[in-house]
Amino acid sequence: MALDRRKFLKRSAVTGAGVALAGGAVGAPAAQAAPAATGTGGRPGKRGKRFALTVMGSTDLHGNVFNWDYYKDARYQDAAGNALGLARISSLVKEVRAEKGAGRTMLIDAGDTIQGTPLTYYYAKVDPITAEGGPVHPMARAMNRIGYDAVALGNHEFNYGIELLRRFESQCDFPLLGANAVDATTLRPAFPPYFFKTFHVPGGGRPVKVAVLGLTNPGIAIWDKAYVQGRLKFPGLEEQAALWVPKLRSMGADVVIVSAHSGTSGTSSWSDQLPYVENSAANVARLVPGIDAILVGHAHKEIAELRVVNEESGKEVVLSEPLMWGERLSLFDIELVFEKGRWSVESVSASLRNSKDAEEDPEIVALLQEQHDAVVEYVNQVVGTATVTLTTVEARYKDEPIIDLIAKVQEDVVKAALAGTEYASLPVVAQASPFSRTSQIPAGEVTIRDLSSLYVYDNTLVAKVLTGAQLKDYLEFSAEYYAQVAAGAPVDVNTLTNAGNRPDYAYDYVSGVTYDIDIAQPAGSRIRNLAFEGAPVAADRKFVLAVNNYRANGGSAYPHVASAPEVWAESTEIRTRIAEWVTAKGVLDPKDFASVDWRLTRDGVPVF
């Protein structure tokens, strides 16, 4: 597959070089760099006219405007001393514009804008922007005021459905770019593929034209299948870049920037479910000629500058990924020289600016204070009382009641939904993950923010039918999360988990059955004593798995679940179901939801 895609990319790059879009003049491919000692007259040692510009970039803002933790009802803090939010990004942007000159800068983003905090949830579900006479989305208001030029679509843009995304798009003064988000029938772009900005050069002369190509993540087809299936398709980033970059050059682009909601690792989380790479930004740089720089997103990594040599042109492409949530701002400083009647990129360098070095822009604070205050009031609503404190501190290696709460709610919802159907007699088991290592539901009053901190994603609930054999495979895959530790060897909880770089959200509890995970055994042979109601689980026994939609659609590449029969699904968030369950109970008491379903062992001896 990789070899075939490579051949396709090279073929596309060649055949697309002479294509012009309507209204665009065909021109020679722009050079990446001018010879160091050649001037406009061709005399050695004399340079042509020069122009410098700076492209600023953010990514994975996830609804963070203020340096505020809605889950803790306090200013955001982390061990590294970071600060976050668009209000600080705004201050950094103003600083750069003042330094470089507003006429020499542009501002873009690489996606994941409208999901991730109670602020974005509130304006999607509680006071939705899609309602008649509804509000303007706070992210649109802030980004409009800051003056973004273009924003690439992230996969989380689709979490609330296409209707809300289109409404958000209509509220933005900038385009939402997605060259590889295409109509499922016509295969034509469903969103603008690119954006052009023209820079006028002091003293006259030919302006500099900068093109920004937006690319989103193919995983949308899996993760938000319920919203996009039959409506949109998401081909690979490399293929679409190979199609569009030559067109942008033929339209007169002197500089081509890609804003890609895709990491640099070249890996994917979905096994063989899609023929495309999830984190392919470096592949795009390596395989598609004609690109000067790539703003990277999706991976939540900090990359000040990464240089990748393009295999066809031999030129370096500069990549940068600013840290998520508005904690960093990337700067691409681009030097151009005018020679032989055209602008050529002479050099590109990338760097990062840190939001902790800036104060929140009072203009953005004043603009969104009212919406922020409404969300703070909402998340601090009391919905019940807890008899004991529940935490996730040890939840990644011990069966903790706080995760059992998630599973119990999912079991109850699915059992109620299947009552009276042909599946009502099947036992319901439930999947849940330890998303956070710091979530806590304190004894005493329980608020919406307490429960939201437990379930930080906007996942919804799905019911799938699995056999006993498939369930065991599912658990074996989950158990790969643990490092192998020999019987009798010391156990260090700091190195016990996240084997193979598996993130915490990709580790699943399954409640409703009991089992041991023998970490002395190699991955794939760890599940022992799998039982239901005290009896061994037969390979052909059928179960209904209550599972979140991300996992149900193939997220994290768990076996069987994506192809398993789906017997029920809903659009209400699991987080909301948890709040409803606690509200109905009034009192949050572990005796109503806690169960001992699994344990870590070594040769049958419990680890803890």
Side-chain angles (χ1 to χ4, degrees):
M1 173 62 75
L3 182 61
D4 291 341
R5 292 181 74 232
R6 175 92 166 271
K7 289 179 179 178
F8 164 77
L9 288 168
K10 289 193 172 183
R11 184 169 64 252
S12 298
V14 172
T15 58
V19 178
L21 298 182
V26 179
Q32 296 287 320
T38 302
T40 53
R43 295 192 304 273
K46 183 178 179 182
R47 295 179 181 274
K49 180 180 288 187
R50 301 171 66 84
F51 184 75
L53 63 91
T54 298
V55 179
M56 297 174 282
S58 57
T59 191
D60 296 276
L61 294 168
H62 284 288
N64 287 285
V65 174
F66 299 114
N67 190 46
W68 189 258
D69 188 333
Y70 290 95
Y71 303 123
K72 291 182 170 59
D73 198 29
R75 290 177 65 83
Y76 175 80
Q77 290 184 318
D78 69 9
N82 287 309
L84 53 78
L86 263 176
R88 288 176 184 251
I89 289 292
S90 181
S91 294
L92 291 177
V93 168
K94 287 182 175 179
E95 177 184 283
V96 174
R97 286 172 177 161
E99 290 176 10
K100 310 286 187 178
R104 291 176 178 266
T105 66
M106 65 186 299
L107 176 61
I108 62 177
D109 184 89
D112 276 4
T113 303
I114 58 171
Q115 179 277 337
T117 62
L119 179 74
T120 50
Y121 176 80
Y122 187 90
Y123 290 102
K125 295 293 186 177
V126 181
D127 187 12
I129 63 172
T130 51
E132 184 72 27
V136 176
H137 199 289
M139 296 301 287
R141 296 182 71 195
M143 297 175 85
N144 287 342
R145 182 66 63 90
I146 295 169
Y148 274 80
D149 290 292
V151 172
L153 292 165
N155 53 284
H156 284 289
E157 260 64 82
F158 295 84
N159 286 173
Y160 298 119
I162 296 175
E163 180 190 4
L164 186 134
L165 175 54
R166 289 298 191 189
R167 180 60 178 158
F168 174 72
E169 181 184 34
S170 74
Q171 295 178 341
C172 294
D173 295 339
F174 47 84
L176 301 182
L177 306 180
N180 61 326
V182 301
D183 182 271
T185 302
T186 66
L187 301 183
R188 296 177 62 85
F191 294 85
Y194 60 83
F195 168 80
F196 266 90
K197 183 166 184 173
T198 300
F199 290 85
H200 296 286
V201 178
R206 180 184 161 189
V208 173
K209 294 180 69 175
V210 178
V212 179
L213 178 68
L215 297 170
T216 191
N217 204 287
I220 297 164
I222 297 174
W223 303 321
D224 280 302
K225 178 180 177 181
Y227 292 125
V228 303
Q229 188 173 38
R231 301 178 67 179
L232 296 173
K233 290 185 177 180
F234 301 89
L237 283 81
E238 300 99 315
E239 286 85 353
Q240 293 302 296
L243 173 68
W244 284 101
V245 170
K247 292 182 180 181
L248 297 176
R249 290 296 187 184
S250 73
M251 295 169 69
D254 300 301
V255 182
V256 173
I257 308 292
V258 173
S259 184
H261 194 75
S262 180
T264 61
S265 67
T267 62
S268 301
S269 64
W270 49 64
S271 186
D272 60 353
Q273 294 178 81
L274 292 174
Y276 310 117
V277 178
E278 177 180 356
N279 294 298
S280 63
N283 289 349
V284 171
R286 182 170 55 86
L287 298 174
V288 181
I291 298 168
D292 296 298
I294 300 179
L295 176 66
V296 177
H298 183 62
H300 290 204
K301 304 290 186 182
E302 180 174 343
I303 302 174
E305 182 182 82
L306 174 65
R307 293 180 175 268
V308 176
V309 176
N310 182 266
E311 292 183 356
E312 183 168 326
S313 69
K315 304 298 183 182
E316 284 189 334
V317 183
V318 177
L319 294 80
S320 183
E321 181 176 6
L323 202 57
M324 70 290 181
W325 306 341
E327 294 186 1
R328 304 287 188 273
L329 180 72
S330 284
L331 271 63
F332 295 94
D333 289 305
I334 303 170
E335 296 278 349
L336 297 101
V337 62
F338 190 78
E339 296 181 319
K340 298 180 181 178
R342 55 180 297 176
W343 288 105
S344 297
V345 172
E346 187 172 58
S347 68
V348 181
S349 62
S351 59
L352 296 173
R353 298 217 176 174
N354 197 324
S355 291
K356 73 179 182 180
D357 298 330
E359 297 296 324
E360 291 186 337
D361 184 347
E363 184 179 2
I364 302 302
V365 173
L367 181 69
L368 296 185
Q369 189 69 57
E370 185 176 337
Q371 287 182 298
H372 167 74
D373 290 344
V375 176
V376 170
E377 181 180 358
Y378 165 74
V379 299
N380 280 287
Q381 292 181 71
V382 176
V383 294
T385 303
T387 60
V388 297
T389 295
L390 304 167
T391 77
T392 58
V393 172
E394 298 181 318
R396 65 192 186 280
Y397 50 86
K398 291 183 181 179
D399 186 348
E400 289 288 342
I402 195 168
I403 308 300
D404 292 335
L405 171 62
I406 301 171
K408 175 61 174 172
V409 171
Q410 294 181 169
E411 286 179 22
D412 285 0
V413 171
V414 168
K415 285 177 181 177
L418 296 181
T421 73
E422 61 182 298
Y423 304 102
S425 62
L426 295 181
V428 176
V429 298
Q431 159 270 346
S433 301
F435 293 137
S436 166
R437 297 187 180 189
T438 59
S439 181
Q440 176 175 290
I441 299 175
E445 291 184 339
V446 177
T447 63
I448 288 176
R449 67 177 171 85
D450 295 326
L451 301 177
S452 296
S453 74
L454 173 61
Y455 210 105
V456 296
Y457 299 106
D458 295 319
N459 294 336
T460 58
L461 195 54
V462 179
K464 294 264 191 167
V465 176
L466 295 180
T467 66
Q470 290 173 329
L471 183 60
K472 185 174 186 295
D473 288 345
Y474 189 102
L475 292 171
E476 287 284 10
F477 182 86
S478 184
E480 293 176 12
Y481 172 73
Y482 294 105
Q484 187 174 3
V485 184
V491 176
D492 181 355
V493 297
N494 295 312
T495 59
L496 176 62
T497 63
N498 308 102
N501 296 316
R502 174 86 67 91
D504 295 343
Y505 69 77
Y507 172 62
D508 283 2
Y509 288 38
V510 173
S511 69
V513 290
T514 57
Y515 56 98
D516 294 342
I517 303 173
D518 191 335
I519 59 173
Q521 303 303 315
S525 303
R526 292 177 170 172
I527 301 303
R528 299 283 192 267
N529 305 317
L530 178 60
F532 174 69
E533 294 183 342
V537 171
D540 60 351
R541 178 73 188 259
K542 289 186 176 181
F543 296 87
V544 173
L545 176 67
V547 60
N548 70 57
N549 66 302
Y550 174 81
R551 194 74 82 240
N553 290 335
S556 299
Y558 270 70
H560 307 304
V561 66
S563 59
E566 182 176 305
V567 296
W568 177 84
E570 68 169 350
S571 59
T572 300
E573 294 79 11
I574 293 170
R575 180 196 301 120
T576 299
R577 289 301 192 190
I578 295 171
E580 291 173 347
W581 192 92
V582 174
T583 301
K585 289 283 186 182
V587 175
L588 191 60
D589 189 332
K591 68 179 178 59
D592 294 326
F593 56 84
S595 58
V596 179
D597 302 299
W598 63 273
R599 61 180 184 169
L600 297 184
T601 64
R602 288 183 294 180
D603 294 343
V605 178
V607 176
F608 301 107

